[in-house]
Amino acid sequence: MIITRTFDVDLIKSVVTSDTFWDSGTEDGAIKECYEPSLQKYVWLVVENDGVLVALIPLEHIGAVTVMVHFLVLKEHRKESRNIANCLLQWFNKTDYQKIITEIPEIYPHVIRFAAGAGLKQEGIRTKSHLKNGELIDMHLYGATKEEINKGF
């Protein structure tokens, strides 16, 4: 698998606004037709396997040493999720970032298991901080330092 940065706004938009990701990845009130990806706020990574797109990974700078990650693994490649996570963690190890974090709505236990399986640890819960289908739900916070990740390799 190869991970590279992309600036292709059309590719980003097509993945993020796809039915696979839009409904599960946005809060109530988000308007698909108005979505425009930010190349300022996010570093967008594509993961390809033999030239085929398998995942899009937006990274948000949280501070000088911390990055927040979200995984958008294409449905037909979800069986490769572990390899995609390892690819990202190898990329992360080559950066100056020291901490990787993510936020996961509690209504997605499979994503919580995925984060834990990738070596991220639960760091807290932001209660009733995500609006989905008219209901306020908790967000689970997961993260790991570079040192913690390297212990797993």
Side-chain angles (χ1 to χ4, degrees), residues 13-14 20 24 36-37 43 51 55 64 66 81 105 116 126-127 129 139 150:
K13 194 171 182 175
S14 71
T20 301
S24 63
E36 289 297 328
V43 171
T66 303
S81 292
R126 273 193 295 122
T127 60
S129 58
M139 293 292 283
N150 287 329

Side-chain angles (χ1 to χ4, degrees), residues 17-93:
T17 61
S18 69
D19 291 339
T20 301
F21 299 116
W22 187 260
D23 289 335
S24 63
T26 59
E27 285 189 84
D28 291 358
I31 303 168
K32 185 189 291 192
E33 294 75 22
C34 296
Y35 175 76
E36 289 297 328
S38 173
L39 299 178
Q40 300 287 329
K41 186 176 180 180
Y42 294 95
V43 171
W44 294 90
L45 301 177
V46 293
V47 181
E48 296 178 313
N49 194 6
D50 293 327
V52 175
L53 178 68
V54 296
L56 179 68
I57 304 173
L59 301 169
E60 181 181 357
H61 302 284
I62 300 301
V65 298
T66 303
V67 65
M68 182 177 296
V69 63
H70 300 283
F71 279 88
L72 304 176
V73 179
L74 277 63
K75 199 172 204 173
E76 60 272 22
H77 297 285
R78 293 213 172 129
K79 64 186 175 298
E80 301 171 68
S81 292
R82 172 73 59 215
N83 291 337
I84 294 165
N86 286 339
C87 187
L88 174 67
L89 294 176
Q90 290 171 9
W91 175 89
F92 172 75
N93 270 327

